[in-house]
Amino acid sequence: MNSYPTRWTKQMKVVLDIVYDGKSPITADQVYGLARKQMPRISLGTVYRNLNRLVVSGLISESKVGTVQCFYPHPYSNTHLECRVCGRLYSVPFDLSLHQVAKETGLTLDGYELRLKGVCKECASRCI
Amino acid sequence: MNSYPTRWTKQMKVVLDIVYDGKSPITADQVYGLARKQMPRISLGTVYRNLNRLVVSGLISESKVGTVQCFYPHPYSNTHLECRVCGRLYSVPFDLSLHQVAKETGLTLDGYELRLKGVCKECASRCI
DNA sequence: CATAAAGTAGTAATGATTACTATTATGAAT
DNA sequence: ATTCATAATAGTAATCATTACTACTTTATG
Ligand SMILES: [Mn+2]
Ligand SMILES: [Mn+2]
Ligand SMILES: [Zn+2]
Ligand SMILES: [Zn+2]
């Protein structure tokens, strides 16, 4: 499973377009909801299969948020604060130089995801 | 759920000791297996509850590896390469200065997890 | 000791994701 | 265009890590 796609199907195009049109990360279930408007008989399994194949092919990227997989157009990079108390994720304006990291590690990279671990302000103010 | 612990129970101590004694990340199920040797009637739910409370309290840390939660002694930092083709994680010898990141972002941090996205050497050599 | 509430054991439920199977669509070769 | 092998799909069932539930037990505190 999660193999590289060899045939360009209508279902794959619908899924790709939905992820590309979105402004923010989208879940498989949300893609499914939107896809059914254009293609009412598409199945959830097909949505998952195509999302995973698009990730393998490098056209979109994914990341787990809590228990669910989220999908983004293109390879991307981001930084989050992950609160160990409430578990919430906060976007943090911090950028890493992917070029620098690629040079130092000798790897060819598409993007990164930096998860900073700590306690958010709201939880800290409750001084648990 | 996942509340801050207020009572120090035998079960919590057993769970904490197992995580601290381990050399590498351990799953809830593995902790459960080891805990039953000392405490045969401990339940899996209790293991999960205590692991999550220990995370909230900051004594241990967690990270999702694939579909499963893994637990580590103390807050920690690490860098991985995540292959978009085979999905495997590879440890990468790259260090970020947590002090520097904390200073730049204004956050108080316990650790970080840097996930580099790309294609591993094995998958790249298959030139998919 | 007495009491309140936090924690536990055992079990059932959840829910996102994957697996399965009969059928259909695709693309290359004839 | 027709044939043919096989990749992909629809619909559904299964998986499985994690959480929820409930009656009972343990802990802390006066
Ligand atoms: Mn958590
Ligand atoms: Mn994946
Ligand atoms: Zn928080
Ligand atoms: Zn790989």
Side-chain angles (χ1 to χ4, degrees):
Chain A
M1 43 124 177
N2 281 16
S3 54
Y4 192 81
T6 61
R7 290 178 186 178
W8 188 250
T9 65
K10 300 177 200 107
Q11 289 86 346
M12 186 156 83
K13 178 161 173 40
V14 167
V15 168
L16 179 61
D17 286 347
I18 288 170
V19 176
Y20 268 72
D21 286 352
K23 313 301 176 200
S24 43
I26 191 170
T27 66
D29 210 60
Q30 291 171 322
V31 172
Y32 179 52
L34 294 170
R36 287 166 77 180
K37 293 183 179 177
Q38 307 171 45
M39 191 178 270
R41 311 199 64 83
I42 194 173
S43 75
L44 182 56
T46 295
V47 171
Y48 270 104
R49 194 180 319 109
N50 281 298
L51 285 168
N52 284 322
R53 288 199 276 226
L54 290 166
V55 169
V56 170
S57 74
L59 288 171
I60 68 177
S61 55
E62 68 171 332
S63 112
K64 272 254 167 67
V65 175
T67 59
V68 303
Q69 224 173 342
C70 282
F71 298 90
Y72 309 72
H74 313 292
Y76 79 112
S77 295
N78 66 29
T79 301
H80 285 125
L81 171 67
E82 194 177 307
C83 176
R84 71 163 189 256
V85 178
C86 65
R88 276 180 292 210
L89 288 182
Y90 296 85
S91 209
V92 173
F94 176 86
D95 285 313
L96 212 54
S97 162
L98 199 62
H99 266 66
Q100 180 71 19
V101 179
K103 194 183 293 182
E104 280 193 45
T105 60
L107 300 166
T108 308
L109 300 175
D110 298 330
Y112 69 82
E113 198 179 340
L114 176 56
R115 305 204 159 193
L116 305 175
K117 310 251 184 164
V119 179
C120 76
K121 282 172 188 169
E122 193 176 333
C123 288
S125 70
R126 287 204 205 96
C127 68
I128 319 191
Chain B
M1 44 122 176
N2 280 16
S3 55
Y4 192 81
T6 62
R7 293 180 184 177
W8 188 251
T9 65
K10 300 179 201 106
Q11 288 85 349
M12 187 156 84
K13 178 162 173 41
V14 167
V15 168
L16 179 60
D17 285 347
I18 288 170
V19 176
Y20 270 72
D21 286 352
K23 313 304 177 200
S24 42
I26 190 168
T27 66
D29 210 60
Q30 292 171 323
V31 172
Y32 179 52
L34 293 170
R36 287 167 77 183
K37 293 184 180 179
Q38 308 171 46
M39 192 179 269
R41 309 199 66 83
I42 195 173
S43 75
L44 182 57
T46 294
V47 170
Y48 270 104
R49 195 180 318 109
N50 282 298
L51 285 168
N52 285 321
R53 288 200 276 227
L54 290 166
V55 169
V56 170
S57 75
L59 288 172
I60 67 176
S61 55
E62 67 171 333
S63 112
K64 273 256 167 63
V65 176
T67 60
V68 302
Q69 224 174 342
C70 282
F71 299 90
Y72 308 73
H74 313 292
Y76 78 111
S77 295
N78 66 30
T79 302
H80 284 124
L81 171 67
E82 194 176 308
C83 176
R84 69 163 191 255
V85 178
C86 65
R88 276 181 291 209
L89 289 181
Y90 296 84
S91 208
V92 172
F94 176 85
D95 286 313
L96 213 52
S97 163
L98 198 62
H99 267 67
Q100 181 71 22
V101 178
K103 193 182 294 181
E104 280 192 44
T105 60
L107 300 166
T108 308
L109 299 175
D110 298 329
Y112 69 82
E113 199 178 338
L114 176 57
R115 303 205 161 193
L116 304 175
K117 311 250 185 167
V119 179
C120 76
K121 283 172 187 168
E122 192 176 333
C123 287
S125 71
R126 285 205 206 96
C127 67
I128 317 190

